[in-house]
PDB file of all heavy atoms in Angstrom:
ATOM      1  N   HIS A 121     219.409-132.225 213.236  1.00 94.00           N
ATOM      2  CA  HIS A 121     219.906-130.915 213.482  1.00 94.00           C
ATOM      3  C   HIS A 121     218.794-129.975 214.102  1.00 94.00           C
ATOM      4  O   HIS A 121     219.106-128.923 214.653  1.00 94.00           O
ATOM      5  CB  HIS A 121     220.422-130.255 212.158  1.00 94.00           C
ATOM      6  CG  HIS A 121     219.438-129.958 211.183  1.00 94.00           C
ATOM      7  ND1 HIS A 121     219.037-130.933 210.194  1.00 94.00           N
ATOM      8  CD2 HIS A 121     218.628-128.877 210.932  1.00 94.00           C
ATOM      9  CE1 HIS A 121     218.137-130.354 209.376  1.00 94.00           C
ATOM     10  NE2 HIS A 121     217.872-129.128 209.818  1.00 94.00           N
ATOM     11  N   MET A 148     222.664-133.329 207.431  1.00 93.00           N
ATOM     12  CA  MET A 148     223.572-132.514 206.738  1.00 93.00           C
ATOM     13  C   MET A 148     224.748-132.149 207.728  1.00 93.00           C
ATOM     14  O   MET A 148     224.569-131.945 208.895  1.00 93.00           O
ATOM     15  CB  MET A 148     222.904-131.198 206.222  1.00 93.00           C
ATOM     16  CG  MET A 148     223.844-130.288 205.456  1.00 93.00           C
ATOM     17  SD  MET A 148     222.922-128.918 204.776  1.00 93.00           S
ATOM     18  CE  MET A 148     224.367-127.940 204.145  1.00 93.00           C
ATOM     19  N   ARG A 149     225.989-132.093 207.097  1.00 95.00           N
ATOM     20  CA  ARG A 149     227.132-131.672 207.842  1.00 95.00           C
ATOM     21  C   ARG A 149     227.376-130.066 207.842  1.00 95.00           C
ATOM     22  O   ARG A 149     227.099-129.484 206.863  1.00 95.00           O
ATOM     23  CB  ARG A 149     228.336-132.250 207.183  1.00 95.00           C
ATOM     24  CG  ARG A 149     228.411-133.728 207.138  1.00 95.00           C
ATOM     25  CD  ARG A 149     229.585-134.294 206.313  1.00 95.00           C
ATOM     26  NE  ARG A 149     230.910-133.721 206.787  1.00 95.00           N
ATOM     27  CZ  ARG A 149     232.075-134.284 206.422  1.00 95.00           C
ATOM     28  NH1 ARG A 149     232.082-135.276 205.511  1.00 95.00           N
ATOM     29  NH2 ARG A 149     233.180-133.778 206.817  1.00 95.00           N
ATOM     30  N   ARG A 150     227.765-129.680 209.079  1.00 95.00           N
ATOM     31  CA  ARG A 150     228.146-128.212 209.138  1.00 95.00           C
ATOM     32  C   ARG A 150     229.472-127.966 208.323  1.00 95.00           C
ATOM     33  O   ARG A 150     229.723-126.880 207.753  1.00 95.00           O
ATOM     34  CB  ARG A 150     228.256-127.758 210.507  1.00 95.00           C
ATOM     35  CG  ARG A 150     228.414-126.205 210.649  1.00 95.00           C
ATOM     36  CD  ARG A 150     228.374-125.688 212.116  1.00 95.00           C
ATOM     37  NE  ARG A 150     229.560-125.995 212.848  1.00 95.00           N
ATOM     38  CZ  ARG A 150     229.606-126.832 213.862  1.00 95.00           C
ATOM     39  NH1 ARG A 150     228.557-127.436 214.263  1.00 95.00           N
ATOM     40  NH2 ARG A 150     230.769-126.974 214.495  1.00 95.00           N
ATOM     41  N   ASP A 151     230.287-129.004 208.365  1.00 95.00           N
ATOM     42  CA  ASP A 151     231.608-128.857 207.654  1.00 95.00           C
ATOM     43  C   ASP A 151     231.577-129.358 206.197  1.00 95.00           C
ATOM     44  O   ASP A 151     232.576-129.923 205.661  1.00 95.00           O
ATOM     45  CB  ASP A 151     232.647-129.663 208.413  1.00 95.00           C
ATOM     46  CG  ASP A 151     232.281-131.118 208.784  1.00 95.00           C
ATOM     47  OD1 ASP A 151     231.059-131.459 208.669  1.00 95.00           O
ATOM     48  OD2 ASP A 151     233.161-131.867 209.118  1.00 95.00           O
ATOM     49  N   VAL A 152     230.477-129.100 205.471  1.00 91.00           N
ATOM     50  CA  VAL A 152     230.335-129.487 204.146  1.00 91.00           C
ATOM     51  C   VAL A 152     231.247-128.629 203.272  1.00 91.00           C
ATOM     52  O   VAL A 152     231.559-127.493 203.657  1.00 91.00           O
ATOM     53  CB  VAL A 152     228.850-129.397 203.663  1.00 91.00           C
ATOM     54  CG1 VAL A 152     228.300-127.987 203.732  1.00 91.00           C
ATOM     55  CG2 VAL A 152     228.706-129.965 202.333  1.00 91.00           C
ATOM     56  N   LEU A 157     227.876-127.003 199.125  1.00 87.00           N
ATOM     57  CA  LEU A 157     226.958-126.187 199.778  1.00 87.00           C
ATOM     58  C   LEU A 157     226.283-125.261 198.768  1.00 87.00           C
ATOM     59  O   LEU A 157     225.081-124.972 198.834  1.00 87.00           O
ATOM     60  CB  LEU A 157     227.577-125.442 200.949  1.00 87.00           C
ATOM     61  CG  LEU A 157     226.658-124.404 201.665  1.00 87.00           C
ATOM     62  CD1 LEU A 157     225.519-125.131 202.343  1.00 87.00           C
ATOM     63  CD2 LEU A 157     227.443-123.656 202.827  1.00 87.00           C
ATOM     64  N   PHE A 160     223.714-126.926 196.787  1.00 83.00           N
ATOM     65  CA  PHE A 160     222.547-127.233 197.479  1.00 83.00           C
ATOM     66  C   PHE A 160     221.759-125.925 197.588  1.00 83.00           C
ATOM     67  O   PHE A 160     220.485-125.909 197.476  1.00 83.00           O
ATOM     68  CB  PHE A 160     222.783-127.753 198.823  1.00 83.00           C
ATOM     69  CG  PHE A 160     221.659-128.061 199.689  1.00 83.00           C
ATOM     70  CD1 PHE A 160     220.671-128.937 199.152  1.00 83.00           C
ATOM     71  CD2 PHE A 160     221.472-127.747 201.079  1.00 83.00           C
ATOM     72  CE1 PHE A 160     219.565-129.341 199.936  1.00 83.00           C
ATOM     73  CE2 PHE A 160     220.428-128.161 201.805  1.00 83.00           C
ATOM     74  CZ  PHE A 160     219.466-128.890 201.216  1.00 83.00           C
ATOM     75  N   THR A 161     222.349-124.785 197.825  1.00 81.00           N
ATOM     76  CA  THR A 161     221.709-123.498 197.912  1.00 81.00           C
ATOM     77  C   THR A 161     221.021-123.161 196.660  1.00 81.00           C
ATOM     78  O   THR A 161     219.882-122.678 196.596  1.00 81.00           O
ATOM     79  CB  THR A 161     222.783-122.395 198.235  1.00 81.00           C
ATOM     80  OG1 THR A 161     223.370-122.626 199.525  1.00 81.00           O
ATOM     81  CG2 THR A 161     222.179-121.027 198.283  1.00 81.00           C
ATOM     82  N   PRO A 171     218.532-120.193 201.572  1.00 73.00           N
ATOM     83  CA  PRO A 171     219.648-121.033 201.950  1.00 73.00           C
ATOM     84  C   PRO A 171     219.561-121.623 203.260  1.00 73.00           C
ATOM     85  O   PRO A 171     218.829-121.094 204.175  1.00 73.00           O
ATOM     86  CB  PRO A 171     220.794-120.018 201.989  1.00 73.00           C
ATOM     87  CG  PRO A 171     220.463-118.878 201.091  1.00 73.00           C
ATOM     88  CD  PRO A 171     218.892-118.796 201.271  1.00 73.00           C
ATOM     89  N   THR A 172     220.101-122.838 203.521  1.00 77.00           N
ATOM     90  CA  THR A 172     219.973-123.562 204.671  1.00 77.00           C
ATOM     91  C   THR A 172     220.833-122.821 205.761  1.00 77.00           C
ATOM     92  O   THR A 172     221.818-122.160 205.472  1.00 77.00           O
ATOM     93  CB  THR A 172     220.432-125.095 204.590  1.00 77.00           C
ATOM     94  OG1 THR A 172     220.087-125.713 205.769  1.00 77.00           O
ATOM     95  CG2 THR A 172     221.962-125.145 204.265  1.00 77.00           C
ATOM     96  N   HIS A 173     220.483-123.052 207.084  1.00 82.00           N
ATOM     97  CA  HIS A 173     221.250-122.471 208.194  1.00 82.00           C
ATOM     98  C   HIS A 173     222.337-123.544 208.508  1.00 82.00           C
ATOM     99  O   HIS A 173     222.056-124.455 209.397  1.00 82.00           O
ATOM    100  CB  HIS A 173     220.373-122.229 209.376  1.00 82.00           C
ATOM    101  CG  HIS A 173     219.344-121.070 209.061  1.00 82.00           C
ATOM    102  ND1 HIS A 173     219.738-119.727 208.939  1.00 82.00           N
ATOM    103  CD2 HIS A 173     218.069-121.162 208.861  1.00 82.00           C
ATOM    104  CE1 HIS A 173     218.651-119.021 208.770  1.00 82.00           C
ATOM    105  NE2 HIS A 173     217.616-119.875 208.641  1.00 82.00           N
ATOM    106  N   VAL A 174     223.473-123.469 207.940  1.00 83.00           N
ATOM    107  CA  VAL A 174     224.597-124.348 208.225  1.00 83.00           C
ATOM    108  C   VAL A 174     224.985-124.372 209.723  1.00 83.00           C
ATOM    109  O   VAL A 174     225.366-125.511 210.214  1.00 83.00           O
ATOM    110  CB  VAL A 174     225.818-124.074 207.294  1.00 83.00           C
ATOM    111  CG1 VAL A 174     226.929-125.070 207.588  1.00 83.00           C
ATOM    112  CG2 VAL A 174     225.380-124.124 205.868  1.00 83.00           C
ATOM    113  N   GLU A 175     224.901-123.256 210.364  1.00 86.00           N
ATOM    114  CA  GLU A 175     225.327-123.228 211.798  1.00 86.00           C
ATOM    115  C   GLU A 175     224.579-124.051 212.686  1.00 86.00           C
ATOM    116  O   GLU A 175     225.083-124.426 213.850  1.00 86.00           O
ATOM    117  CB  GLU A 175     225.305-121.737 212.174  1.00 86.00           C
ATOM    118  CG  GLU A 175     223.870-121.192 212.329  1.00 86.00           C
ATOM    119  CD  GLU A 175     223.321-120.644 211.062  1.00 86.00           C
ATOM    120  OE1 GLU A 175     223.896-120.690 210.013  1.00 86.00           O
ATOM    121  OE2 GLU A 175     222.197-120.097 211.143  1.00 86.00           O
ATOM    122  N   GLU A 176     223.379-124.535 212.325  1.00 88.00           N
ATOM    123  CA  GLU A 176     222.625-125.386 213.255  1.00 88.00           C
ATOM    124  C   GLU A 176     222.899-126.866 213.042  1.00 88.00           C
ATOM    125  O   GLU A 176     222.485-127.716 213.805  1.00 88.00           O
ATOM    126  CB  GLU A 176     221.166-125.155 213.031  1.00 88.00           C
ATOM    127  CG  GLU A 176     220.599-125.629 211.668  1.00 88.00           C
ATOM    128  CD  GLU A 176     219.155-125.409 211.346  1.00 88.00           C
ATOM    129  OE1 GLU A 176     218.521-124.700 212.306  1.00 88.00           O
ATOM    130  OE2 GLU A 176     218.607-125.779 210.347  1.00 88.00           O
ATOM    131  N   LYS A 177     223.724-127.191 212.018  1.00 94.00           N
ATOM    132  CA  LYS A 177     224.121-128.587 211.725  1.00 94.00           C
ATOM    133  C   LYS A 177     225.278-128.986 212.662  1.00 94.00           C
ATOM    134  O   LYS A 177     225.845-128.133 213.346  1.00 94.00           O
ATOM    135  CB  LYS A 177     224.496-128.762 210.314  1.00 94.00           C
ATOM    136  CG  LYS A 177     223.603-128.041 209.229  1.00 94.00           C
ATOM    137  CD  LYS A 177     222.206-128.513 209.334  1.00 94.00           C
ATOM    138  CE  LYS A 177     221.428-128.087 208.050  1.00 94.00           C
ATOM    139  NZ  LYS A 177     220.360-127.155 208.182  1.00 94.00           N
ATOM    140  N   VAL A 178     225.604-130.228 212.585  1.00 96.00           N
ATOM    141  CA  VAL A 178     226.778-130.676 213.350  1.00 96.00           C
ATOM    142  C   VAL A 178     227.834-131.235 212.314  1.00 96.00           C
ATOM    143  O   VAL A 178     227.513-131.549 211.226  1.00 96.00           O
ATOM    144  CB  VAL A 178     226.400-131.850 214.233  1.00 96.00           C
ATOM    145  CG1 VAL A 178     225.375-131.419 215.313  1.00 96.00           C
ATOM    146  CG2 VAL A 178     225.948-133.101 213.429  1.00 96.00           C
ATOM    147  N   THR A 179     229.121-131.141 212.806  1.00 97.00           N
ATOM    148  CA  THR A 179     230.175-131.692 211.928  1.00 97.00           C
ATOM    149  C   THR A 179     230.227-133.174 212.046  1.00 97.00           C
ATOM    150  O   THR A 179     229.622-133.789 212.866  1.00 97.00           O
ATOM    151  CB  THR A 179     231.485-131.174 212.374  1.00 97.00           C
ATOM    152  OG1 THR A 179     231.872-131.583 213.641  1.00 97.00           O
ATOM    153  CG2 THR A 179     231.501-129.576 212.416  1.00 97.00           C
ATOM    154  N   LEU A 208     227.214-134.241 201.141  1.00 92.00           N
ATOM    155  CA  LEU A 208     226.639-133.099 201.827  1.00 92.00           C
ATOM    156  C   LEU A 208     226.358-133.470 203.292  1.00 92.00           C
ATOM    157  O   LEU A 208     226.300-132.529 204.160  1.00 92.00           O
ATOM    158  CB  LEU A 208     225.244-132.775 201.199  1.00 92.00           C
ATOM    159  CG  LEU A 208     224.584-131.487 201.665  1.00 92.00           C
ATOM    160  CD1 LEU A 208     225.235-130.226 201.043  1.00 92.00           C
ATOM    161  CD2 LEU A 208     223.100-131.432 201.203  1.00 92.00           C
TER     162      LEU A 208
END
Side-chain angles (χ1 to χ4, degrees):
H121 69 270
M148 185 176 173
R149 297 172 57 166
R150 190 172 75 247
D151 52 344
V152 63
L157 178 60
F160 187 47
T161 297
T172 190
H173 294 286
V174 180
E175 66 277 3
E176 69 183 2
K177 316 302 196 246
V178 302
T179 67
L208 188 76

